[in-house]
Amino acid sequence: MPQPLVGMDLTDIREALGPEQPAYRAKQIYDALYRGQTSDLVRITTLPQDLRQDLAARHTLGLPEIARLYDSADGTRRYLLRLDDGRTVETVLMPEGERDTICISSQVGCPVDCKFCMTALLGLERSLTAGEIVGQVLLVARENRLRQDGGRLNVVMMGQGEPLLNLENVVKATRILLDPAGFALSPRRITVSTAGIVPKIAQLGREPVRPRLAISLNASTEESRQELMPITRKYHLKDLMAACKEYPLRPWEKLTFEYVLLKGVNDSDADARRVVKLLANLNCKVNLIALNPGPEIPYETPAPDRVAAVQQIVRRGMPCFVRKPRGLDIYAACGQLKRSAV
């Protein structure tokens, strides 16, 4: 069965080519895959014709296939992507002014079971390979003629799945996306979001090449968090805060805490004050997300003035922003990725 090339690092490509090919051939292929965003192995013109034909016979490019594309009135695009085994994942492009953000998935479905998230209703089918993670970025970038240079492109692993439960593939994909000789994203431009898998946070912090870290907080007390995010019964709030305090931030870096506001559940002034107290000793910022509603979700979106009141209180202790929902009309917003038809 032909082996996909996307997801291979330079060492993998050298091994795939075999000892009869000079080392610089692997570099040419690596450059064509990631920097050149090639769509066809036969068109890698830096390679001799016989090597191109051999590559195409023994390997596939490995990009996912677009099964459906949904366009939002606000410019957001939701891609339903089919993988080699027929399973599907979702990837979202959010253009905003001079900046583009690609939100990618790390698993097919999600095992975390957050009660306010439509993706949780899918359960987990499997984790993605490094190639399937990188392939989402390459496909959407090529389809929309996005360039990774110039600091305009961001990648966030906030789609389907819990990235830290697929850490090995997430880290390998990150190395390729950040490699100056690969896709060449800036380390400031890639973020991974976790529900708070405490031992994996420490493991990620030991990686020499890693994305920025965002943590889904979503509650100000242990009891409320366990009710909203059952996985946190295993990873307690005090242990999560300890892991965050020990996390080795780079000089330019802050931790990001994401907080989905649910009407009458976690959006009171008292909740906001507890969040400030909880995060007081961390170098961090907070992103507030008013619930993006969906079928089968038993919560409501708070009114804008309630969101503003929470922001005002949290701002007294740390930077706090309200994340504007994108793609609500096509079920592309945060927490809405359930492979839904529109």
Side-chain angles (χ1 to χ4, degrees), residues 133-195:
I133 295 169
V134 174
Q136 296 171 72
V137 178
L138 294 180
L139 179 73
V140 173
R142 196 188 72 210
E143 286 288 312
N144 296 276
R145 298 182 180 175
L146 306 178
R147 303 304 306 176
Q148 56 270 49
D149 45 14
R152 288 187 47 185
L153 183 61
N154 297 299
V155 172
V156 294
M157 294 191 199
M158 298 180 182
Q160 291 178 0
E162 166 51 67
L164 296 199
L165 292 178
N166 186 20
L167 189 57
E168 183 181 348
N169 287 313
V170 162
V171 167
K172 185 174 184 181
T174 299
R175 285 200 302 265
I176 291 168
L177 291 170
L178 294 183
D179 185 356
F183 192 71
L185 268 183
S186 160
R188 297 169 186 255
R189 297 285 173 182
I190 184 166
T191 302
V192 64
S193 177
T194 178

Side-chain angles (χ1 to χ4, degrees), residues 72-86:
S72 167
D74 66 16
T76 300
R77 312 192 91 182
R78 175 163 71 97
Y79 289 83
L80 182 66
L81 300 179
R82 184 173 290 111
L83 307 173
D84 279 349
D85 65 357

Side-chain angles (χ1 to χ4, degrees), residues 2 78 124 129 160 164 167 199 203 210 232 276 296 300 325 335:
R78 175 163 71 97
L124 178 68
T129 66
Q160 291 178 0
L164 296 199
L167 189 57
Q203 194 177 330
R210 63 180 188 268
T232 63
V276 172
E296 303 172 75
E300 295 178 40

Side-chain angles (χ1 to χ4, degrees), residues 30-256:
Y30 188 78
D31 180 79
L33 289 177
Y34 302 121
R35 184 172 285 274
Q37 299 177 22
T38 187
S39 59
D40 188 345
L41 297 178
V42 178
R43 293 182 186 170
I44 304 177
T45 53
T46 53
L47 303 177
Q49 186 69 33
D50 59 341
L51 179 53
R52 283 187 252 168
Q53 298 294 345
D54 182 57
L55 264 186
R58 294 192 297 117
H59 296 277
T60 62
L61 189 56
L63 293 181
E65 172 193 338
I66 300 173
R68 292 286 299 272
L69 172 61
Y70 303 92
D71 281 308
S72 167
D74 66 16
T76 300
R77 312 192 91 182
R78 175 163 71 97
Y79 289 83
L80 182 66
L81 300 179
R82 184 173 290 111
L83 307 173
D84 279 349
D85 65 357
R87 289 183 168 90
T88 57
V89 293
E90 287 170 293
T91 305
V92 178
L93 171 65
M94 295 168 283
E96 189 163 9
E98 291 298 304
R99 184 179 65 186
D100 297 293
T101 300
I102 303 175
C103 177
I104 63 175
S105 297
S106 56
Q107 296 179 306
V108 182
C110 186
V112 175
D113 196 27
C114 297
K115 299 305 180 185
F116 48 84
C117 179
M118 287 173 63
T119 311
L121 300 170
L122 294 170
L124 178 68
E125 294 181 33
R126 69 169 174 85
S127 288
L128 298 185
T129 66
E132 289 167 337
I133 295 169
V134 174
Q136 296 171 72
V137 178
L138 294 180
L139 179 73
V140 173
R142 196 188 72 210
E143 286 288 312
N144 296 276
R145 298 182 180 175
L146 306 178
R147 303 304 306 176
Q148 56 270 49
D149 45 14
R152 288 187 47 185
L153 183 61
N154 297 299
V155 172
V156 294
M157 294 191 199
M158 298 180 182
Q160 291 178 0
E162 166 51 67
L164 296 199
L165 292 178
N166 186 20
L167 189 57
E168 183 181 348
N169 287 313
V170 162
V171 167
K172 185 174 184 181
T174 299
R175 285 200 302 265
I176 291 168
L177 291 170
L178 294 183
D179 185 356
F183 192 71
L185 268 183
S186 160
R188 297 169 186 255
R189 297 285 173 182
I190 184 166
T191 302
V192 64
S193 177
T194 178
I197 315 299
V198 170
K200 298 292 186 178
I201 290 173
Q203 194 177 330
L204 178 66
R206 292 192 289 271
E207 290 292 336
V209 177
R210 63 180 188 268
R212 298 171 69 158
L213 180 61
I215 293 159
S216 292
L217 185 60
N218 305 321
S220 63
T221 67
E222 184 81 75
E223 298 73 27
S224 177
R225 198 162 189 267
Q226 287 185 7
E227 187 177 323
L228 295 173
M229 305 170 69
I231 198 168
T232 63
R233 293 168 194 164
K234 187 174 181 181
Y235 305 110
H236 298 293
L237 197 50
K238 64 179 176 58
D239 299 324
L240 175 61
M241 292 299 107
C244 291
K245 197 165 186 179
E246 292 166 15
Y247 191 78
L249 293 171
R250 290 157 286 196
W252 46 266
E253 191 174 14
K254 286 180 184 291
L255 286 171
T256 298

Side-chain angles (χ1 to χ4, degrees), residues 287-304:
N287 282 339
L288 301 176
I289 306 162
L291 174 71
N292 297 311
E296 303 172 75
I297 299 300
Y299 299 104
E300 295 178 40
T301 306

